[in-house]
Amino acid sequence: MAAWREGTREDPGAAREAHVGRFEVKARDGRARVGALSTAHGVVTTPTLLPVINPNLRTIEPREMWDKYGIEMLITNSYIIWKHERLREHALEHGVHHLLDYPGAIMTDSGTFQAYVYGDVEVGVEEIVTFQRDIGVDVATMLDVFTRPDMTRDEVHEAVVETTQRAEASLAAAGSTMLNGPIQGGLHPDLRRMSARGMAAHPFSVHPIGGIVPVMEQQRYADLARVMLASAPELPPDRPVHMFGCGHPMLFPMLIALGADLFDSAAYALFARDGRLLTPTGTVHLADLREWPVLMPCVAALTPETVRKMEDDERMVVLSRFNLEVTLAELAACRQAVHEGRIWERAERRSHAHPALREAFLWLSTSPARGTAPIPAAEHLLMSDRAAASDTSPDRGHWESAWDWVVGAQNTPGQGALRWAGEDTFVRPAVVASRRRLHRAWRPASEDGAVVILHGAPGPWRDRVGTHVTRAYAANPDLEVLVLSPIGLVPWSFEDLQPFAHVEGPEWLWRRPVDHAWVRREMARLHLGHRHFVTVNLRAESVGEAFDAALLDAGLQPRVAPNQEGLADVELVLLRAQAVDKSMLELNLERSVATEFVGSATFVMSSTGRVRNVRDSRGRHILSPRLGNGGLSLTDEGALVLHALGLEEDAAPATVTVSEDAVPFVGAGRNVMHGFILHASTQLRPGITCLVLGPTGDLIAHGVAQCTSEEALAMRKGIAVRVRGGLQPSS
Ligand code: GUN
C-alpha cells in the first residue's frame, strides 16, 4: 500500500547550536508571517501543522510523514509516554525520536489535555517537564491549567494565575530545552491579555493559545477570533504562536492572518475514523460522496464508492491520508498567499465556508474597526454590525487597539491591484492602513481655494485627464484637484498610488452616484473640510467642457488654451508638488520640510512620460519613484540631505539605530539584521523607507523596513531593514 520508500528523504541537519530556539520571519503580510523555527532537528518552515501522533496508535507512520509528506515537525503526548512503562523506558533509553522513528523536530504536550478530558493527571509540574527534557524533545510543554468556556470567571482567573505561577519552575526544569508557555483565559478577553502578559514575561520559546478545543468544537469561531485578538498582540513577536488542537484547514487563513504560526491536530486521524473528510471549506461525510470534494493524490485512482467498500482499517488509512494531504495543501496555499500579500483576501473568501466563520470574519473586520474612517460600503457594514453588538462593551477600546495592531503591520503601498470582492474589500486592513496613512500624513498646500473632484472612471488618471488638470492649474494656481476612487478621495498627486489607483473591479464601482455627505466627510479627513467643491464626471462626453463648467461653477477661471505658453512650467510645478506630497506620505515629513527638501527640483523623465529621477535645486538625485505602486524611493544623496536637516524624530523619516559591530557591514550596504538594533522609531513598519544610524547618530545607510518598531527590538534573527544604499563604504 505504501507508495513511499523509507529513507527517500535525507534526515535534517541540526540548526546551528546558537540558533536553536530562534524564530525568523522570512516573509510577511500584515501579521501573517512565513517563518523559520530553528531546532536541533532541523529548521521548520511556518505556518505549519504538527500532526498529532498517538504513540500507541499510529495511523500514518511518522517516518512516512517525514519521507513522503515532508512534514518537518510533529507533536506527541509526553504524558502517554510517561504513563506506559514500555514507551517510557524506550524513550528514556533511546530518545523520543527513536521511539517514534522520526528524524524531524518533535514537540510534546504535557498531559493538560488529558486533565481536561479525564479530570486529573497524576504527574507533577516539574516532573513532566523534566521527563520531556530527558527524552530529548525539541519543544516541551509545561503543565498548564485548561480553561473551559463553561467555567466561571473566578475559576478561569484562578487557572490563569496558577498557570503563570508554574512558569518559573517549569522553565527551570526544562533547562535548555525549548518550552511552550500556553495562554489560557477562556472567553474573557481581559484574562487572555493577563495570561499573555504574564507568560510573555518568562523566557518561553513558543506560546500556544490553549483552551480553544471546546470553542472550536462548538463552532464558536467569533469567540475564537476574539481569543486570538486578545492574546496575540501581547506576545513577544520573536516567539511563534501555536493554536493548540486546531487542525481544520477552514480556519487556517483567518488565524494565520491574525498571527498564528503553528497548528496541531489529531483531526486528520480522528475524523477519518468516523468517515469524515476535511476540506478547506468544511467537513464532508464519505457516506454522502459520489465524487471527491478535492482530488488529493492518495485518492486519485479511487472513487468514494471503492473506499466505502474497504475494510475499516484500510479505509481509515486512506481517509487519514486524504485529510493530511488537504491540510498540507491548504497550508502551502496560505504560505504562498503571505508571499503574495493576499492572506487577508484568502481569509475573506474562506469566511463564506461556514456561517459561524463568516460571523467571525465580519466581527473582525467591522467591530474592532469602528474607530476607522469608513468608506460608504464599509460604513454600511459598520452600521449593521453596530446594531448587533454592544457599543458600550468595556472591551471596545481594546478591540480597537488590537485592530490597530493588525492595521499597523500592513505593508503599504503594496504591490499589484486591489482585487474587489464585494463590500469586504473596503475593510481590508491594507485599505484601512493606506487611508489612515494618507489622512495622517498629508496636508493641503494652501488654506483655501476651491476643490475639483474627478469621479466616474478608473485610472490611469494621468493618461486620461492629465492635460486638463495641468490647464486647470495654469488658470487657478490655488486649485486642489482630488480623485474619487471606490476606496476614498485622494489628492491628484497620488493619482498613481496603490491601492487607490489600482482597484480591479466592475466599471460601475466608479459609476456610482457621488454621495455628497460622504465626500464631505472624506474632505474633512483630508483637512479640506471647509472648502467648496465641484465635481467633474470623467465619463462626460467632453471632459474638457465638464471641467470648465465645474471651474466656472466654483467661481474659478476655465482651463487655459492647450497651446498657451508656460504650460510646461505648470507641469513642472505639478511634478514638484507631487514629489512634496509623496515625501509627506513616504518620509513622514511636514509640508514645509518636504517643500524645502524637494526645492525647485528637476525631473528626468522616461520615454513613457513618467518620472525616473528627482533632482533637487542643487542637482542632487534625491528620489526615484517606485515602479508599479506610486511609492517613492530615497537615494543615497536624498538620505544624506534629509539627515542633514536634523529633524525631530516624530516629524522625520523612520530610523533604526544599529550597534557598533554592525556599522562596518551596514555602512557597506549589507542588510540590517535583527539582534543588532539599539533603537527604532515608533513609525517604523513594514515597507516604509527608513534611515539607518550608527550608535552616535551618524547616518550609515538607508533602506526599506521589514518590521514594526517592537519587532525591530525583539527579533533575534532575520532581516530588519533591506538596505538600498550603504553610506560608509569601507576604505
Ligand atoms: N491541547 C489542546 N488544548 C490544550 C491546552 O489548552 N493546553 C495543553 N497543554 N494542551 C492542549
Side-chain angles (χ1 to χ4, degrees):
M1 175 78 217
W4 101 104
R5 279 182 299 116
E6 196 165 314
T8 46
R9 184 167 172 234
E10 258 185 54
D11 287 358
R16 288 217 333 247
E17 203 176 323
H19 290 179
V20 169
R22 292 209 182 154
F23 181 61
E24 171 181 358
V25 174
K26 297 273 192 186
R28 70 176 307 150
D29 177 11
R31 288 293 165 185
R33 42 207 197 165
V34 168
L37 176 65
S38 296
T39 78
H41 291 84
V43 178
V44 177
T45 299
T46 66
T48 196
L49 173 109
L50 285 48
V52 174
I53 302 294
N54 181 335
N56 279 319
L57 190 77
R58 304 179 187 177
T59 319
I60 301 176
E61 282 299 317
R63 174 58 67 174
E64 184 184 355
M65 291 201 173
W66 173 263
D67 280 339
K68 180 175 168 187
Y69 290 115
I71 287 168
E72 294 171 323
M73 189 170 196
L74 50 77
I75 183 166
T76 189
N77 198 297
S78 66
Y79 180 65
I80 296 178
I81 301 175
W82 178 83
K83 267 191 73 149
H84 292 82
E85 194 178 337
R86 181 183 60 81
L87 299 174
R88 184 173 65 222
E89 295 306 322
H90 186 136
L92 282 171
E93 190 167 339
H94 303 289
V96 69
H97 292 82
H98 190 271
L99 175 74
L100 297 184
D101 183 22
Y102 181 72
I106 297 181
M107 179 186 279
T108 41
D109 202 349
S110 54
T112 298
F113 197 66
Q114 280 65 25
Y116 156 64
V117 176
Y118 305 113
D120 204 4
V121 288
E122 306 129 26
V123 76
V125 169
E126 283 149 287
E127 188 179 11
I128 194 64
V129 175
T130 307
F131 177 68
Q132 295 174 76
R133 186 195 67 198
D134 290 348
I135 62 173
V137 311
D138 295 289
V139 184
T141 303
M142 63 168 279
L143 194 67
D144 48 321
V145 183
F146 197 96
T147 48
R148 299 187 318 272
D150 63 329
M151 283 160 84
T152 64
R153 188 190 156 82
D154 284 351
E155 285 168 337
V156 174
H157 183 266
E158 202 176 311
V160 166
V161 170
E162 175 66 25
T163 299
T164 315
Q165 278 171 356
R166 292 179 182 179
E168 210 169 296
S170 303
L171 281 156
S176 61
T177 300
M178 293 161 71
L179 192 64
N180 270 331
I183 309 307
Q184 296 292 346
L187 299 180
H188 304 275
D190 57 329
L191 298 182
R192 284 280 171 189
R193 273 191 294 277
M194 177 179 145
S195 176
R197 282 185 196 147
M199 299 301 274
H202 296 279
F204 288 105
S205 297
V206 178
H207 285 295
I209 309 293
I212 55 176
V213 169
V215 180
M216 292 182 294
E217 280 171 352
Q218 295 163 27
Q219 299 185 316
R220 298 167 71 169
Y221 301 139
D223 283 331
L224 181 64
R226 282 188 272 272
V227 164
M228 190 62 182
L229 216 48
S231 314
E234 305 295 336
L235 296 173
D238 60 332
R239 304 181 192 170
V241 175
H242 177 141
M243 307 307 293
F244 248 151
C246 173
H248 203 304
M250 183 173 83
L251 299 174
F252 294 164
M254 180 182 86
L255 294 172
I256 289 172
L258 296 179
D261 304 297
L262 299 171
F263 298 86
D264 83 80
S265 174
Y268 72 101
L270 296 180
F271 279 45
R273 203 168 295 162
D274 39 76
R276 287 185 292 164
L277 285 84
L278 299 171
T279 87
T281 51
T283 307
V284 294
H285 288 263
L286 179 65
D288 300 332
L289 296 184
R290 297 168 76 103
E291 298 286 344
W292 299 114
V294 270
L295 196 64
M296 286 291 136
C298 65
V299 294
L302 304 170
T303 66
E305 182 60 19
T306 34
V307 176
R308 270 195 292 271
K309 287 184 179 150
M310 286 175 176
E311 293 295 323
D312 285 359
D313 284 356
E314 192 187 1
R315 185 172 58 245
M316 179 170 162
V317 172
V318 172
L319 296 187
S320 296
R321 282 184 207 287
F322 180 96
N323 288 340
L324 197 60
E325 287 174 8
V326 165
T327 303
L328 297 178
E330 181 60 21
L331 283 164
C334 286
R335 291 192 297 268
Q336 178 66 20
V338 173
H339 285 294
E340 291 175 5
R342 298 198 181 276
I343 192 67
W344 197 270
E345 240 175 286
R346 193 170 184 85
E348 185 179 297
R349 243 178 296 140
R350 225 15 124 232
S351 71
H352 295 276
H354 191 284
L357 193 55
R358 185 68 191 152
E359 182 200 1
F361 184 81
L362 284 183
W363 177 81
L364 259 182
S365 51
T366 57
S367 290
R370 283 195 191 113
T372 298
I375 8 203
E379 215 152 0
H380 161 73
L381 285 176
L382 295 175
M383 291 305 179
S384 52
D385 187 71
R386 182 170 289 151
S390 150
D391 246 356
T392 51
S393 142
D395 288 313
R396 187 177 154 189
H398 285 297
W399 294 135
E400 282 173 9
S401 56
W403 177 247
D404 291 348
W405 175 80
V406 175
V407 170
Q410 301 296 315
N411 183 350
T412 59
Q415 289 296 338
L418 177 77
R419 294 197 298 220
W420 173 84
E423 294 194 341
D424 290 351
T425 320
F426 305 122
V427 277
R428 285 188 194 151
V431 171
V432 175
S434 305
R435 287 169 52 78
R436 281 190 183 177
R437 198 165 165 209
L438 175 66
H439 299 154
R440 275 187 199 156
W442 186 80
R443 294 290 180 280
S446 56
E447 287 290 311
D448 7 66
V451 172
V452 172
I453 294 177
L454 311 178
H455 70 97
W461 292 300
R462 182 171 297 275
D463 299 348
R464 203 184 267 275
V465 282
T467 52
H468 294 309
V469 171
T470 308
R471 287 166 57 198
Y473 270 115
N476 308 282
D478 278 344
L479 187 65
E480 197 70 68
V481 176
L482 306 175
V483 186
L484 189 59
S485 92
I487 54 168
L489 205 49
V490 278
W492 176 250
S493 289
F494 303 119
E495 53 81 32
D496 57 349
L497 187 69
Q498 200 275 358
F500 303 99
H502 301 268
V503 183
E504 188 183 319
E507 277 272 327
W508 55 254
L509 272 182
W510 282 266
R511 275 199 255 120
R512 287 186 297 193
V514 177
D515 172 346
H516 282 249
W518 174 59
V519 167
R520 269 271 158 243
R521 290 198 292 281
E522 283 288 276
M523 286 186 45
R525 289 170 194 133
L526 288 169
H527 315 277
L528 295 162
H530 57 287
R531 309 268 277 258
H532 179 64
F533 77 90
V534 288
T535 59
V536 176
N537 190 335
L538 299 181
R539 286 189 332 280
E541 209 162 295
S542 163
V543 173
E545 281 171 23
F547 221 124
D548 286 343
L551 290 169
L552 289 171
D553 185 25
L556 299 172
Q557 299 299 314
R559 298 163 305 145
V560 301
N563 54 0
Q564 167 121 355
E565 239 178 76
L567 268 184
D569 294 341
V570 179
E571 257 165 37
L572 183 62
V573 168
L574 284 179
L575 286 176
R576 286 177 185 153
Q578 184 176 47
V580 168
D581 288 344
K582 287 192 174 177
S583 298
M584 294 172 77
L585 217 62
E586 181 72 36
L587 304 170
N588 191 38
L589 301 180
E590 285 175 2
R591 177 169 284 285
S592 58
V593 178
T595 306
E596 183 187 342
F597 175 53
V598 170
S600 353
T602 54
F603 299 84
V604 179
M605 309 300 283
S606 75
S607 56
T608 55
R610 291 272 165 186
V611 174
R612 272 217 334 246
N613 297 334
V614 182
R615 295 185 176 278
D616 72 2
S617 352
R618 290 165 57 184
R620 297 173 295 197
H621 176 194
I622 51 169
L623 295 166
S624 300
R626 261 192 229 162
L627 282 184
N629 70 1
L632 267 189
S633 289
L634 201 57
T635 62
D636 292 2
E637 281 184 300
L640 287 163
V641 172
L642 269 184
H643 184 62
L645 295 178
L647 302 167
E648 293 292 326
E649 184 174 300
D650 57 355
T655 58
V656 159
T657 306
V658 299
S659 59
E660 193 59 57
D661 40 347
V663 170
F665 300 97
V666 177
R670 304 270 285 273
N671 291 328
V672 177
M673 305 305 289
H674 285 296
F676 297 90
I677 297 176
L678 302 176
H679 175 78
S681 60
T682 50
Q683 66 261 36
L684 199 76
R685 42 169 204 79
I688 204 170
T689 298
C690 72
L691 302 181
V692 184
L693 310 178
T696 50
D698 47 335
L699 180 69
I700 62 165
H702 64 98
V704 179
Q706 307 296 304
C707 58
T708 64
S709 58
E710 299 83 51
E711 289 163 349
L713 297 176
M715 303 295 293
R716 286 282 158 269
K717 199 165 184 289
I719 299 172
V721 179
R722 280 195 192 281
V723 167
R724 292 177 44 91
L727 299 170
Q728 293 194 342
S730 49
S731 44

